[in-house]
């Protein structure tokens, strides 16, 4: 990788403003603990993905084992061909907004970097809203959140707990501070979570004699849930325990 990286560097010396140091500030933290990365470049000579500053950064600046793949969007792209891997994908905004093909990894274990190749300026307000909508869809359907959108002027992420008016979920700027699991889950801003608790040594659900409905829960489990709720700031929606759901 290092050899390939320096070849690129030689051929790119007179490129625009290739500010790799600034990109360090944005990308070092989110990539720090990744065991591997796969870089997907768009196939075809009309794409010049390797000239993109973010692509350059991944080629030159990471110590992470990196494999490079060229890909072509096609009708037969499987639902989620990526398994649990971490991906850097170069694609157009239109492709990203479809949530299909390469734009739709539905597994939650990986980290995803989307390099928007067709951006010669920052996302417009309208594009931000459309991207936010497609992110909200992936979050509500698959709980996928670990995605970074690399645009010409900086990095965006989707924060499922920030609000857009009364709805949860908002596209926000990312400044390189932390990984998203740390950054996002510190304050869930009252996000509703369904919680079920089962009668056990640690949990005593109490029911209304007439209706059979759950009235309250006491016990150690409940105390732990309360502590988590306070710490993470979510709203606990206590569910009626289901007999068959235990285990
Ligand atoms: C918890 O979320 C609510 C609703 O968004 C917010 O007003 C409050 O400041 C948050 N509390 C903490 C401790 O972060």
């Amino acid at each position: 990788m290092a050899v390939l990286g320096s070849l690129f560097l030689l051929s790119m010396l007179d490129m625009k403003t290739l500010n790799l140091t600034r990109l360090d500030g944005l990308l070092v933290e989110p990539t720090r603990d990744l065991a591997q990365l796969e870089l997907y470049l768009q196939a075809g000579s009309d794409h010049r993905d390797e000239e993109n500053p973010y692509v350059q950064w991944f080629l030159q600046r990471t110590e992470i084992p990196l494999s490079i793949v060229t890909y072509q969007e096609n009708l037969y792209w499987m639902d989620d061909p990526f398994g649990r891997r971490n991906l850097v994908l170069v694609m157009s905004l239109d492709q990203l907004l479809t949530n299909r093909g390469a734009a739709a990894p539905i597994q939650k274990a990986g980290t995803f970097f989307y390099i928007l190749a067709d951006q010669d300026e920052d996302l417009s307000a309208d594009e931000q809203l459309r991207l936010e909508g497609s992110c909200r869809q992936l979050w509500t359907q698959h709980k996928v959140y670990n995605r970074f959108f690399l645009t010409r002027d900086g990095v965006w992420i989707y924060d499922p707990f920030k609000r857009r008016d009364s709805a949860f979920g908002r596209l926000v700027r990312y400044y390189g501070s932390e990984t998203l699991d740390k950054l996002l889950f510190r304050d869930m801003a009252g996000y509703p979570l369904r919680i079920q608790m089962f009668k056990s040594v640690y949990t005593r659900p109490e029911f209304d004699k007439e209706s059979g409905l759950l009235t309250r829960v006491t016990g150690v489990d409940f105390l732990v849930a309360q502590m988590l709720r306070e710490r993470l700031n979510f709203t606990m929606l206590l569910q009626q325990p289901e007999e068959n759901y235990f285990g």
Side-chain angles (χ1 to χ4, degrees), residues 163 187-190 230 233:
R163 294 185 203 226
D187 177 9
M188 296 171 71
E230 275 166 33
N233 199 18

Side-chain angles (χ1 to χ4, degrees), residues 21-30 54 148 154-155 174-177:
T21 312
R22 178 173 168 238
L23 297 191
D24 281 347
L26 289 169
L27 297 173
V28 164
E29 277 310 313
Y54 291 108
F148 296 85
V155 177
Y174 174 76
Y175 298 104
S177 53

Side-chain angles (χ1 to χ4, degrees), residues 55-201:
V55 174
Q56 289 287 311
W57 189 87
F58 282 102
L59 290 171
Q60 295 176 32
R61 296 290 252 232
T62 67
E63 304 280 305
I64 306 165
L66 179 74
S67 38
I68 304 175
V69 184
T70 54
Y71 79 102
Q72 200 136 31
E73 280 291 343
N74 67 52
L75 291 174
Y76 307 105
W77 202 289
M78 290 177 294
D79 273 349
D80 190 354
F82 302 115
R84 302 165 69 83
R85 289 165 291 175
N86 307 304
L87 307 174
V88 184
L89 296 132
V90 183
M91 68 175 64
S92 68
L93 179 65
D94 280 344
Q95 178 61 37
L96 178 63
L97 289 172
T98 63
N99 276 352
R100 298 173 59 182
I106 53 171
Q107 50 88 10
K108 294 177 261 291
T111 304
F112 310 105
F113 300 89
Y114 297 90
I115 298 176
L116 295 181
D118 56 346
Q119 298 296 296
D120 41 27
E121 40 195 83
D122 204 13
L123 297 180
S124 68
D126 175 60
E127 289 170 335
Q128 287 171 38
L129 278 181
R130 285 160 62 211
L131 181 53
E132 186 177 287
S134 74
C135 291
R136 189 174 289 118
Q137 194 185 13
L138 272 191
W139 165 258
T140 42
Q141 290 175 0
H142 304 291
K143 293 292 174 282
V144 172
Y145 64 88
N146 211 348
R147 305 163 86 217
F148 296 85
F149 308 105
L150 316 183
T151 68
R152 202 207 61 169
D153 288 346
V155 177
W156 295 89
I157 54 169
Y158 177 74
D159 183 337
F161 311 120
K162 282 257 159 28
R163 294 185 203 226
R164 166 84 60 196
D165 305 322
S166 60
F168 276 101
R170 191 177 181 120
L171 202 69
V172 295
R173 282 275 192 207
Y174 174 76
Y175 298 104
S177 53
E178 288 173 292
T179 52
L180 296 192
D181 49 354
K182 289 192 195 131
L183 185 67
L184 299 178
F185 291 90
R186 183 164 299 141
D187 177 9
M188 296 171 71
Y191 192 84
L193 275 192
R194 290 191 294 265
I195 310 260
Q196 278 201 13
M197 290 193 205
F198 306 95
K199 189 169 168 27
S200 72
V201 186

